Amino acid sequence: YSSLGVVTSTSVGMDRRLGVIAEILSELLGLDAVYARNDARTRREVGLPTWRGRLIGEAGPTAQIDEGGVRFEVDVIRGQKTGFFIDQRENRLLLQRYAPRGGRILDLFSYTGGFGLHALAGGAAEAVLVDESDYAVEAALRNAELNGLSGRVSAVRSRVKEFLESARERGDRYDAVVVDPPALVPSRERLSMGLKTYVAVNAAAMEVLEPGGLMISTSCSQFVDAGRLRRVLLTAASRAGRRVRFLGGVLGQSPDHPVDPLHPWTGYLKGFALAVE
Ligand SMILES: C[S@@+](CC[C@H](N)C(=O)[O-])C[C@H]1O[C@@H](n2cnc3c(N)ncnc32)[C@H](O)[C@@H]1O
């Protein structure tokens, strides 16, 4: 991120090399500091210690980045994952391009406002961001300010389920909605339960969309492939009493998150853009 590097290791071998990796990265990329985010769940599962901290350099843990003309502050220690969900970059840029001009956008599971702010940059009038994390909501408001968009953004700290229940009761309607939850199927054993949650949240999101509204819905669960997500969305549409049309093909992760054909689960992020009649 700008002049900050972040590394994540998930094995003992890589742990042993982290110091030298940080030095090489710093030299090659001219970084002010390199941080480690070694707090992935997978580390805990294999008995490796979890920790976050600086490996090399003096700079603090925040940086400002520019993604397609929209600025974000990234905190590599307080933020989730390595600070920013870079895997969704191309999908945020897609929304910037196709956001309904003058429309109202609902960004569910918004984190620091990525999709919502891109929609505003693309000509939407107003964005409502919903996330359960205090950090995410505070950072989203700072990012709105950074882009001179404060007056057009509301950030709500709430669980999405509860937010959508009250939105439906109030009769709120949006011109576009983004559904980007965390992995709702974290293990094979939780597939059936997780798929039900995907259906429920997508159906509830469709219910607050204006007829003809745009929806972007994604899943970052490695156990949910594109075919499954497509069926989830069709089931959700039928539950919400809405007809959907798929726009373009399957959305995926940014090209800097390569997919290894020998390990197909490395292609964990998939999504669809839909018109919801
Ligand atoms: C995959 S990230 C979203 C990334 C975001 N769309 C972006 O482009 O940066 C998922 C987010 O959902 C939030 N979250 C998880 N469970 C939630 C819930 N039940 N209700 C609201 N937010 C939730 C997390 O705090 C996290 O910020």
Side-chain angles (χ1 to χ4, degrees), residues 95-123:
L95 180 64
Q96 181 181 129
R97 192 156 161 210
Y98 293 114
R101 305 289 177 265
R104 261 189 112 195
I105 312 299
L106 178 59
D107 183 358
L108 297 172
F109 306 95
S110 53
Y111 189 49
T112 55
F115 279 100
L117 296 180
H118 273 287
L120 294 175

PDB file of all heavy atoms in Angstrom, residues 95-123:
ATOM      1  N   LEU A  95     -18.435  -1.383 -10.532  1.00  0.00           N
ATOM      2  CA  LEU A  95     -19.576  -0.636  -9.989  1.00  0.00           C
ATOM      3  C   LEU A  95     -19.422   0.860 -10.280  1.00  0.00           C
ATOM      4  O   LEU A  95     -20.395   1.536 -10.598  1.00  0.00           O
ATOM      5  CB  LEU A  95     -19.717  -0.874  -8.477  1.00  0.00           C
ATOM      6  CG  LEU A  95     -20.897  -0.126  -7.852  1.00  0.00           C
ATOM      7  CD1 LEU A  95     -22.232  -0.611  -8.413  1.00  0.00           C
ATOM      8  CD2 LEU A  95     -20.905  -0.251  -6.332  1.00  0.00           C
ATOM      9  N   GLN A  96     -18.183   1.340 -10.188  1.00  0.00           N
ATOM     10  CA  GLN A  96     -17.971   2.764 -10.492  1.00  0.00           C
ATOM     11  C   GLN A  96     -18.470   3.055 -11.911  1.00  0.00           C
ATOM     12  O   GLN A  96     -19.087   4.060 -12.187  1.00  0.00           O
ATOM     13  CB  GLN A  96     -16.488   3.124 -10.364  1.00  0.00           C
ATOM     14  CG  GLN A  96     -16.245   4.587 -10.652  1.00  0.00           C
ATOM     15  CD  GLN A  96     -14.784   5.012 -10.570  1.00  0.00           C
ATOM     16  OE1 GLN A  96     -14.297   5.638 -11.493  1.00  0.00           O
ATOM     17  NE2 GLN A  96     -14.108   4.713  -9.473  1.00  0.00           N
ATOM     18  N   ARG A  97     -18.220   2.091 -12.822  1.00  0.00           N
ATOM     19  CA  ARG A  97     -18.587   2.280 -14.222  1.00  0.00           C
ATOM     20  C   ARG A  97     -20.102   2.182 -14.447  1.00  0.00           C
ATOM     21  O   ARG A  97     -20.658   2.919 -15.242  1.00  0.00           O
ATOM     22  CB  ARG A  97     -17.869   1.199 -15.018  1.00  0.00           C
ATOM     23  CG  ARG A  97     -17.905   1.405 -16.474  1.00  0.00           C
ATOM     24  CD  ARG A  97     -16.724   0.672 -17.109  1.00  0.00           C
ATOM     25  NE  ARG A  97     -16.979   0.474 -18.511  1.00  0.00           N
ATOM     26  CZ  ARG A  97     -16.514  -0.537 -19.211  1.00  0.00           C
ATOM     27  NH1 ARG A  97     -15.765  -1.454 -18.635  1.00  0.00           N
ATOM     28  NH2 ARG A  97     -16.781  -0.635 -20.479  1.00  0.00           N
ATOM     29  N   TYR A  98     -20.759   1.273 -13.723  1.00  0.00           N
ATOM     30  CA  TYR A  98     -22.172   1.018 -14.018  1.00  0.00           C
ATOM     31  C   TYR A  98     -23.135   1.511 -12.942  1.00  0.00           C
ATOM     32  O   TYR A  98     -24.335   1.235 -13.026  1.00  0.00           O
ATOM     33  CB  TYR A  98     -22.392  -0.480 -14.255  1.00  0.00           C
ATOM     34  CG  TYR A  98     -21.712  -0.957 -15.522  1.00  0.00           C
ATOM     35  CD1 TYR A  98     -20.644  -1.846 -15.489  1.00  0.00           C
ATOM     36  CD2 TYR A  98     -22.128  -0.481 -16.766  1.00  0.00           C
ATOM     37  CE1 TYR A  98     -20.007  -2.261 -16.645  1.00  0.00           C
ATOM     38  CE2 TYR A  98     -21.499  -0.890 -17.936  1.00  0.00           C
ATOM     39  CZ  TYR A  98     -20.448  -1.776 -17.867  1.00  0.00           C
ATOM     40  OH  TYR A  98     -19.826  -2.182 -19.026  1.00  0.00           O
ATOM     41  N   ALA A  99     -22.643   2.218 -11.949  1.00  0.00           N
ATOM     42  CA  ALA A  99     -23.532   2.688 -10.878  1.00  0.00           C
ATOM     43  C   ALA A  99     -24.637   3.561 -11.474  1.00  0.00           C
ATOM     44  O   ALA A  99     -24.366   4.392 -12.342  1.00  0.00           O
ATOM     45  CB  ALA A  99     -22.732   3.499  -9.869  1.00  0.00           C
ATOM     46  N   PRO A 100     -25.876   3.378 -11.018  1.00  0.00           N
ATOM     47  CA  PRO A 100     -26.960   4.198 -11.547  1.00  0.00           C
ATOM     48  C   PRO A 100     -26.718   5.686 -11.252  1.00  0.00           C
ATOM     49  O   PRO A 100     -26.555   6.068 -10.092  1.00  0.00           O
ATOM     50  CB  PRO A 100     -28.199   3.696 -10.807  1.00  0.00           C
ATOM     51  CG  PRO A 100     -27.788   2.450 -10.111  1.00  0.00           C
ATOM     52  CD  PRO A 100     -26.308   2.420 -10.017  1.00  0.00           C
ATOM     53  N   ARG A 101     -26.650   6.501 -12.313  1.00  0.00           N
ATOM     54  CA  ARG A 101     -26.414   7.947 -12.144  1.00  0.00           C
ATOM     55  C   ARG A 101     -27.531   8.563 -11.308  1.00  0.00           C
ATOM     56  O   ARG A 101     -28.712   8.315 -11.565  1.00  0.00           O
ATOM     57  CB  ARG A 101     -26.381   8.653 -13.519  1.00  0.00           C
ATOM     58  CG  ARG A 101     -25.378   8.051 -14.496  1.00  0.00           C
ATOM     59  CD  ARG A 101     -23.931   8.356 -14.067  1.00  0.00           C
ATOM     60  NE  ARG A 101     -22.958   7.716 -14.956  1.00  0.00           N
ATOM     61  CZ  ARG A 101     -22.376   6.522 -14.742  1.00  0.00           C
ATOM     62  NH1 ARG A 101     -22.652   5.804 -13.684  1.00  0.00           N
ATOM     63  NH2 ARG A 101     -21.501   6.034 -15.603  1.00  0.00           N
ATOM     64  N   GLY A 102     -27.167   9.312 -10.316  1.00  0.00           N
ATOM     65  CA  GLY A 102     -28.164   9.966  -9.459  1.00  0.00           C
ATOM     66  C   GLY A 102     -28.885   8.997  -8.521  1.00  0.00           C
ATOM     67  O   GLY A 102     -29.836   9.375  -7.843  1.00  0.00           O
ATOM     68  N   GLY A 103     -28.425   7.743  -8.476  1.00  0.00           N
ATOM     69  CA  GLY A 103     -29.154   6.735  -7.690  1.00  0.00           C
ATOM     70  C   GLY A 103     -28.714   6.648  -6.237  1.00  0.00           C
ATOM     71  O   GLY A 103     -27.741   7.280  -5.808  1.00  0.00           O
ATOM     72  N   ARG A 104     -29.478   5.833  -5.492  1.00  0.00           N
ATOM     73  CA  ARG A 104     -29.179   5.555  -4.063  1.00  0.00           C
ATOM     74  C   ARG A 104     -28.587   4.169  -3.975  1.00  0.00           C
ATOM     75  O   ARG A 104     -29.197   3.199  -4.436  1.00  0.00           O
ATOM     76  CB  ARG A 104     -30.487   5.493  -3.286  1.00  0.00           C
ATOM     77  CG  ARG A 104     -30.859   6.717  -2.558  1.00  0.00           C
ATOM     78  CD  ARG A 104     -32.058   6.408  -1.679  1.00  0.00           C
ATOM     79  NE  ARG A 104     -31.677   6.464  -0.286  1.00  0.00           N
ATOM     80  CZ  ARG A 104     -32.407   5.969   0.694  1.00  0.00           C
ATOM     81  NH1 ARG A 104     -33.521   5.317   0.454  1.00  0.00           N
ATOM     82  NH2 ARG A 104     -32.000   6.101   1.945  1.00  0.00           N
ATOM     83  N   ILE A 105     -27.411   4.082  -3.355  1.00  0.00           N
ATOM     84  CA  ILE A 105     -26.692   2.808  -3.297  1.00  0.00           C
ATOM     85  C   ILE A 105     -26.698   2.269  -1.875  1.00  0.00           C
ATOM     86  O   ILE A 105     -26.458   3.029  -0.930  1.00  0.00           O
ATOM     87  CB  ILE A 105     -25.196   3.006  -3.688  1.00  0.00           C
ATOM     88  CG1 ILE A 105     -25.062   3.827  -4.966  1.00  0.00           C
ATOM     89  CG2 ILE A 105     -24.447   1.689  -3.764  1.00  0.00           C
ATOM     90  CD1 ILE A 105     -25.693   3.221  -6.179  1.00  0.00           C
ATOM     91  N   LEU A 106     -26.933   0.987  -1.734  1.00  0.00           N
ATOM     92  CA  LEU A 106     -26.820   0.342  -0.427  1.00  0.00           C
ATOM     93  C   LEU A 106     -25.635  -0.613  -0.475  1.00  0.00           C
ATOM     94  O   LEU A 106     -25.613  -1.562  -1.261  1.00  0.00           O
ATOM     95  CB  LEU A 106     -28.111  -0.438  -0.125  1.00  0.00           C
ATOM     96  CG  LEU A 106     -28.124  -1.207   1.198  1.00  0.00           C
ATOM     97  CD1 LEU A 106     -27.907  -0.269   2.390  1.00  0.00           C
ATOM     98  CD2 LEU A 106     -29.455  -1.955   1.363  1.00  0.00           C
ATOM     99  N   ASP A 107     -24.619  -0.321   0.332  1.00  0.00           N
ATOM    100  CA  ASP A 107     -23.387  -1.125   0.355  1.00  0.00           C
ATOM    101  C   ASP A 107     -23.418  -1.962   1.637  1.00  0.00           C
ATOM    102  O   ASP A 107     -23.137  -1.463   2.723  1.00  0.00           O
ATOM    103  CB  ASP A 107     -22.181  -0.163   0.318  1.00  0.00           C
ATOM    104  CG  ASP A 107     -20.842  -0.884   0.275  1.00  0.00           C
ATOM    105  OD1 ASP A 107     -20.822  -2.125   0.313  1.00  0.00           O
ATOM    106  OD2 ASP A 107     -19.805  -0.181   0.204  1.00  0.00           O
ATOM    107  N   LEU A 108     -23.780  -3.243   1.490  1.00  0.00           N
ATOM    108  CA  LEU A 108     -23.909  -4.118   2.661  1.00  0.00           C
ATOM    109  C   LEU A 108     -22.586  -4.839   2.920  1.00  0.00           C
ATOM    110  O   LEU A 108     -21.961  -5.314   1.979  1.00  0.00           O
ATOM    111  CB  LEU A 108     -25.016  -5.151   2.428  1.00  0.00           C
ATOM    112  CG  LEU A 108     -26.418  -4.561   2.247  1.00  0.00           C
ATOM    113  CD1 LEU A 108     -27.405  -5.653   1.820  1.00  0.00           C
ATOM    114  CD2 LEU A 108     -26.894  -3.875   3.526  1.00  0.00           C
ATOM    115  N   PHE A 109     -22.198  -4.959   4.178  1.00  0.00           N
ATOM    116  CA  PHE A 109     -20.891  -5.503   4.575  1.00  0.00           C
ATOM    117  C   PHE A 109     -19.818  -4.589   3.953  1.00  0.00           C
ATOM    118  O   PHE A 109     -18.920  -5.032   3.256  1.00  0.00           O
ATOM    119  CB  PHE A 109     -20.703  -6.949   4.086  1.00  0.00           C
ATOM    120  CG  PHE A 109     -21.811  -7.881   4.499  1.00  0.00           C
ATOM    121  CD1 PHE A 109     -22.882  -8.153   3.655  1.00  0.00           C
ATOM    122  CD2 PHE A 109     -21.775  -8.490   5.742  1.00  0.00           C
ATOM    123  CE1 PHE A 109     -23.898  -9.019   4.039  1.00  0.00           C
ATOM    124  CE2 PHE A 109     -22.791  -9.373   6.143  1.00  0.00           C
ATOM    125  CZ  PHE A 109     -23.850  -9.630   5.272  1.00  0.00           C
ATOM    126  N   SER A 110     -19.943  -3.297   4.232  1.00  0.00           N
ATOM    127  CA  SER A 110     -19.232  -2.269   3.456  1.00  0.00           C
ATOM    128  C   SER A 110     -17.763  -2.108   3.810  1.00  0.00           C
ATOM    129  O   SER A 110     -17.024  -1.458   3.088  1.00  0.00           O
ATOM    130  CB  SER A 110     -19.932  -0.929   3.669  1.00  0.00           C
ATOM    131  OG  SER A 110     -20.056  -0.676   5.056  1.00  0.00           O
ATOM    132  N   TYR A 111     -17.343  -2.650   4.978  1.00  0.00           N
ATOM    133  CA  TYR A 111     -15.981  -2.429   5.455  1.00  0.00           C
ATOM    134  C   TYR A 111     -15.674  -0.925   5.409  1.00  0.00           C
ATOM    135  O   TYR A 111     -16.445  -0.139   5.966  1.00  0.00           O
ATOM    136  CB  TYR A 111     -14.966  -3.280   4.675  1.00  0.00           C
ATOM    137  CG  TYR A 111     -13.569  -3.252   5.277  1.00  0.00           C
ATOM    138  CD1 TYR A 111     -13.370  -3.463   6.626  1.00  0.00           C
ATOM    139  CD2 TYR A 111     -12.457  -3.023   4.486  1.00  0.00           C
ATOM    140  CE1 TYR A 111     -12.103  -3.428   7.185  1.00  0.00           C
ATOM    141  CE2 TYR A 111     -11.181  -2.988   5.029  1.00  0.00           C
ATOM    142  CZ  TYR A 111     -11.019  -3.180   6.391  1.00  0.00           C
ATOM    143  OH  TYR A 111      -9.762  -3.135   6.938  1.00  0.00           O
ATOM    144  N   THR A 112     -14.602  -0.484   4.731  1.00  0.00           N
ATOM    145  CA  THR A 112     -14.254   0.943   4.819  1.00  0.00           C
ATOM    146  C   THR A 112     -14.885   1.752   3.677  1.00  0.00           C
ATOM    147  O   THR A 112     -14.420   2.840   3.351  1.00  0.00           O
ATOM    148  CB  THR A 112     -12.722   1.135   4.850  1.00  0.00           C
ATOM    149  OG1 THR A 112     -12.160   0.487   3.705  1.00  0.00           O
ATOM    150  CG2 THR A 112     -12.119   0.526   6.098  1.00  0.00           C
ATOM    151  N   GLY A 113     -15.943   1.198   3.081  1.00  0.00           N
ATOM    152  CA  GLY A 113     -16.737   1.980   2.116  1.00  0.00           C
ATOM    153  C   GLY A 113     -16.388   1.766   0.661  1.00  0.00           C
ATOM    154  O   GLY A 113     -16.839   2.527  -0.207  1.00  0.00           O
ATOM    155  N   GLY A 114     -15.589   0.731   0.370  1.00  0.00           N
ATOM    156  CA  GLY A 114     -15.080   0.531  -0.988  1.00  0.00           C
ATOM    157  C   GLY A 114     -16.119   0.657  -2.087  1.00  0.00           C
ATOM    158  O   GLY A 114     -16.019   1.526  -2.967  1.00  0.00           O
ATOM    159  N   PHE A 115     -17.131  -0.205  -2.059  1.00  0.00           N
ATOM    160  CA  PHE A 115     -18.095  -0.188  -3.161  1.00  0.00           C
ATOM    161  C   PHE A 115     -18.904   1.115  -3.176  1.00  0.00           C
ATOM    162  O   PHE A 115     -19.115   1.722  -4.226  1.00  0.00           O
ATOM    163  CB  PHE A 115     -19.043  -1.389  -3.056  1.00  0.00           C
ATOM    164  CG  PHE A 115     -18.453  -2.669  -3.599  1.00  0.00           C
ATOM    165  CD1 PHE A 115     -17.910  -3.621  -2.754  1.00  0.00           C
ATOM    166  CD2 PHE A 115     -18.453  -2.918  -4.969  1.00  0.00           C
ATOM    167  CE1 PHE A 115     -17.365  -4.799  -3.257  1.00  0.00           C
ATOM    168  CE2 PHE A 115     -17.913  -4.096  -5.475  1.00  0.00           C
ATOM    169  CZ  PHE A 115     -17.366  -5.040  -4.621  1.00  0.00           C
ATOM    170  N   GLY A 116     -19.351   1.540  -2.000  1.00  0.00           N
ATOM    171  CA  GLY A 116     -20.196   2.735  -1.934  1.00  0.00           C
ATOM    172  C   GLY A 116     -19.488   3.974  -2.467  1.00  0.00           C
ATOM    173  O   GLY A 116     -20.061   4.748  -3.240  1.00  0.00           O
ATOM    174  N   LEU A 117     -18.229   4.156  -2.077  1.00  0.00           N
ATOM    175  CA  LEU A 117     -17.506   5.358  -2.524  1.00  0.00           C
ATOM    176  C   LEU A 117     -17.236   5.297  -4.020  1.00  0.00           C
ATOM    177  O   LEU A 117     -17.310   6.308  -4.720  1.00  0.00           O
ATOM    178  CB  LEU A 117     -16.198   5.528  -1.730  1.00  0.00           C
ATOM    179  CG  LEU A 117     -16.384   5.778  -0.231  1.00  0.00           C
ATOM    180  CD1 LEU A 117     -15.029   5.933   0.459  1.00  0.00           C
ATOM    181  CD2 LEU A 117     -17.232   7.018   0.034  1.00  0.00           C
ATOM    182  N   HIS A 118     -16.972   4.107  -4.546  1.00  0.00           N
ATOM    183  CA  HIS A 118     -16.775   3.978  -5.989  1.00  0.00           C
ATOM    184  C   HIS A 118     -18.075   4.295  -6.738  1.00  0.00           C
ATOM    185  O   HIS A 118     -18.050   4.896  -7.816  1.00  0.00           O
ATOM    186  CB  HIS A 118     -16.286   2.576  -6.355  1.00  0.00           C
ATOM    187  CG  HIS A 118     -14.799   2.460  -6.287  1.00  0.00           C
ATOM    188  ND1 HIS A 118     -13.975   3.033  -7.230  1.00  0.00           N
ATOM    189  CD2 HIS A 118     -13.979   1.868  -5.394  1.00  0.00           C
ATOM    190  CE1 HIS A 118     -12.708   2.783  -6.910  1.00  0.00           C
ATOM    191  NE2 HIS A 118     -12.684   2.083  -5.798  1.00  0.00           N
ATOM    192  N   ALA A 119     -19.201   3.869  -6.174  1.00  0.00           N
ATOM    193  CA  ALA A 119     -20.486   4.160  -6.829  1.00  0.00           C
ATOM    194  C   ALA A 119     -20.699   5.674  -6.897  1.00  0.00           C
ATOM    195  O   ALA A 119     -21.133   6.210  -7.923  1.00  0.00           O
ATOM    196  CB  ALA A 119     -21.620   3.491  -6.060  1.00  0.00           C
ATOM    197  N   LEU A 120     -20.342   6.375  -5.810  1.00  0.00           N
ATOM    198  CA  LEU A 120     -20.496   7.840  -5.803  1.00  0.00           C
ATOM    199  C   LEU A 120     -19.561   8.470  -6.836  1.00  0.00           C
ATOM    200  O   LEU A 120     -19.940   9.391  -7.556  1.00  0.00           O
ATOM    201  CB  LEU A 120     -20.220   8.404  -4.407  1.00  0.00           C
ATOM    202  CG  LEU A 120     -21.230   7.998  -3.325  1.00  0.00           C
ATOM    203  CD1 LEU A 120     -20.771   8.511  -1.962  1.00  0.00           C
ATOM    204  CD2 LEU A 120     -22.622   8.528  -3.648  1.00  0.00           C
ATOM    205  N   ALA A 121     -18.332   7.944  -6.912  1.00  0.00           N
ATOM    206  CA  ALA A 121     -17.381   8.475  -7.898  1.00  0.00           C
ATOM    207  C   ALA A 121     -17.917   8.263  -9.305  1.00  0.00           C
ATOM    208  O   ALA A 121     -17.622   9.033 -10.225  1.00  0.00           O
ATOM    209  CB  ALA A 121     -16.026   7.787  -7.734  1.00  0.00           C
ATOM    210  N   GLY A 122     -18.734   7.225  -9.480  1.00  0.00           N
ATOM    211  CA  GLY A 122     -19.300   6.924 -10.801  1.00  0.00           C
ATOM    212  C   GLY A 122     -20.593   7.677 -11.079  1.00  0.00           C
ATOM    213  O   GLY A 122     -21.197   7.461 -12.124  1.00  0.00           O
ATOM    214  N   GLY A 123     -21.053   8.495 -10.151  1.00  0.00           N
ATOM    215  CA  GLY A 123     -22.218   9.328 -10.461  1.00  0.00           C
ATOM    216  C   GLY A 123     -23.454   9.036  -9.631  1.00  0.00           C
ATOM    217  O   GLY A 123     -24.495   9.685  -9.822  1.00  0.00           O
TER     218      GLY A 123
END
